[in-house]
Amino acid sequence: MKYALIIDNKVVQISYPYVEGYVEVNDNVFADMVKKSDGSFNYSDEFKSEHIKIETYKDYRAKDYPSLADQLDMQYWDKINGTNKWQQAINSVKQKYPK
């Protein structure tokens, strides 16, 4: 069982053993959530904007680009072989996540 201290419809604290004044809640209820009029819980928009990062195209690109070591290796072999694999790899990520 999980219990929450709720003050002004906001979950202030969670406890697993029962504490007087706390109410039983589902396992998916956490501190800083707000109790809605329908009885469900969710984080407020203000809380989400402060704590939940929205990824941008820059974040997605950074995850998809080859490592710098791999990029340098591609550039070396492109120069040796007269190819442009490095440029193709970079452009494919840029096309996948445009500005």
Side-chain angles (χ1 to χ4, degrees):
M1 296 291 185
K2 188 174 186 179
Y3 303 92
L5 175 60
I6 301 172
I7 299 174
D8 294 328
N9 288 333
K10 183 177 180 182
V11 178
V12 177
Q13 192 169 4
I14 296 290
S15 175
Y16 287 94
Y18 175 75
V19 177
E20 188 173 331
Y22 286 44
V23 295
E24 186 176 340
V25 293
N26 293 331
D27 285 337
N28 60 352
V29 175
F30 302 97
D32 295 318
M33 285 186 152
V34 176
K35 185 176 182 180
K36 296 181 173 184
S37 59
D38 65 1
S40 65
F41 290 86
N42 202 344
Y43 290 107
S44 68
D45 292 337
E46 179 183 359
F47 182 89
K48 289 178 188 177
S49 68
E50 291 176 8
H51 294 90
I52 299 174
K53 182 181 182 224
I54 298 172
E55 292 186 321
T56 65
Y57 76 92
K58 291 179 185 180
D59 300 318
Y60 290 119
R61 283 183 179 184
K63 291 177 187 176
D64 271 13
Y65 282 137
S67 70
L68 290 178
D70 288 343
Q71 289 186 45
L72 288 171
D73 191 55
M74 282 185 227
Q75 289 175 354
Y76 172 83
W77 288 108
D78 280 348
K79 186 167 180 119
I80 298 291
N81 297 325
T83 58
N84 66 345
K85 291 183 179 180
W86 172 78
Q87 188 176 13
Q88 290 172 351
I90 297 302
N91 284 338
S92 70
V93 174
K94 288 183 180 290
Q95 288 174 0
K96 187 175 179 182
Y97 304 110
K99 286 185 180 180

